[in-house]
Amino acid sequence: MFDRLNFPQPWLSWVLFLTWQILSDGVTGGSVVLGLILAWIIPQLTHGFWPERPGFKKPWRMPAYILRVLKDIVIASFSVAWLILSPRSPRPVFISYPLKLEHPLAISILASTISLTPGTVSADISDDNKTLLIHALDAASDQEVINDIYNSYEKPLMEMFQ
Amino acid sequence: MSQFAEYAISALLLFGGAFTLVGAIGLARLPDFYTRLHGPTKATTVGVGAIMLSSVIYFSSVDQGIDFSEILITVFLFMTAPVSANMLAKAAMHIGVKTVKDTEGNPWHQ
């Protein structure tokens, strides 16, 4: 019975514990106990969904990446807002983006980044995890969008994971 | 509350409200399902981000000390918005929603 009383993913447990402390109103005895229970039970329940451990090689590069994404979100939001209000109609494009990343977590971070930055939504991933289907709201050419995404997001992610 | 905080809160609220409004206008104006998909993910990222920031400033200046719960709301929103957009796009491709006719490229059928 006691062999399940462990923390298979210590980092996930820490994140869950700290998140619970922030969510509850001030750190009290009750919130610590409940936080510990959640930090133990959620990794146990979601164990099956994580076939391999996230392989961060250089996690300290993450804050710079997040800041860059936030900056891009704000800048690109203005261009999308302008496009919505301007009379000309947009030129939507479906783009097949060739993925160079291999790690599943890295790919899902990239896909989420693409969806969050205005003007592009990642719509689907091919069964062999090699191609990402992206819908761009307004793009002059495929290649331009592919180069943009590769230089600003995929390259930093590759440095982080490989 | 200092005067500076009041101005900052008002500016952020107006900014966030304006972006959410533009997102809603986009939902009505854009030509097809896939382009309309851009509305909800965009309006939430900047519009809600600005409104949350104003809430952080308000509660920090009233209670003294930064309150992190609002930041967490924003983080959760940023994590869930792309997933829902992805699910909507997949469902649309699955049932074969028509694209507007000058769309380049094609959705997949797999």
Side-chain angles (χ1 to χ4, degrees):
Chain A
M1 181 197 163
F2 289 106
D3 57 342
R4 300 211 70 175
L5 269 179
N6 58 353
F7 296 96
Q9 284 146 301
W11 282 107
L12 179 62
S13 296
W14 270 114
V15 170
L16 287 168
F17 181 75
L18 291 176
T19 307
W20 188 256
Q21 302 314 314
I22 296 170
L23 273 180
S24 48
D25 225 4
V27 180
T28 57
S31 74
V32 169
V33 171
L34 202 54
L36 276 175
I37 292 173
L38 289 173
W40 171 67
I41 205 161
I42 291 178
Q44 299 284 355
L45 290 176
T46 58
H47 197 58
F49 299 113
W50 296 74
E52 47 188 303
R53 296 292 142 79
F56 273 114
K57 290 284 190 304
K58 295 171 181 165
W60 60 88
R61 284 177 190 252
M62 204 63 194
Y65 179 77
I66 292 173
L67 282 181
R68 170 184 219 142
V69 170
L70 285 179
K71 193 195 80 188
D72 286 0
I73 288 173
V74 174
I75 293 172
S77 287
F78 280 99
S79 62
V80 170
W82 179 245
L83 182 77
I84 287 172
L85 296 177
S86 73
R88 91 184 162 85
S89 60
R91 290 161 301 185
V93 188
F94 273 103
I95 301 160
S96 294
Y97 180 83
L99 280 170
K100 293 191 184 63
L101 290 165
E102 282 159 7
H103 199 284
L105 183 66
I107 293 175
S108 62
I109 292 177
L110 180 70
S112 301
T113 309
I114 290 169
S115 291
L116 275 179
T117 47
T120 47
V121 166
S122 50
D124 205 353
I125 185 163
S126 64
D127 289 336
D128 57 357
N129 286 2
K130 290 266 161 55
T131 321
L132 203 60
L133 181 67
I134 298 171
H135 183 267
L137 180 58
D138 188 59
S141 75
D142 290 21
Q143 205 52 45
E144 197 182 313
V145 178
I146 291 175
N147 288 344
D148 269 3
I149 291 173
Y150 178 73
N151 287 323
S152 37
Y153 308 124
E154 194 173 17
K155 222 157 58 180
L157 278 174
M158 277 166 78
E159 282 164 11
M160 239 182 285
F161 279 89
Q162 278 154 19
Chain B
M1 200 181 346
S2 72
Q3 199 168 18
F4 175 75
E6 270 182 56
Y7 279 120
I9 292 165
S10 325
L12 280 169
L13 279 178
L14 283 174
F15 181 76
F19 258 94
T20 315
L21 179 67
V22 170
I25 293 172
L27 214 53
R29 271 201 52 156
L30 291 171
D32 70 344
F33 178 83
Y34 294 101
T35 49
R36 282 179 190 149
L37 203 57
H38 293 268
T41 45
K42 292 353 151 188
T44 49
T45 41
V46 172
V48 176
I51 293 169
M52 288 300 168
L53 211 59
S54 70
S55 162
V56 172
I57 296 175
Y58 174 77
F59 283 104
S60 310
S61 61
V62 168
D63 296 345
Q64 311 293 327
I66 300 173
D67 194 353
F68 286 102
S69 334
E70 285 92 350
I71 299 174
L72 269 186
I73 296 173
T74 321
V75 170
F76 288 145
L77 204 71
F78 276 30
M79 287 196 301
T80 50
V83 179
S84 56
N86 181 249
M87 283 298 148
L88 285 169
K90 272 186 101 131
M93 286 192 293
H94 186 69
I95 60 171
V97 174
K98 294 266 187 305
T99 55
V100 69
K101 65 177 182 301
D102 52 357
T103 304
E104 281 178 51
N106 285 306
W108 292 338
H109 298 286
Q110 65 169 2

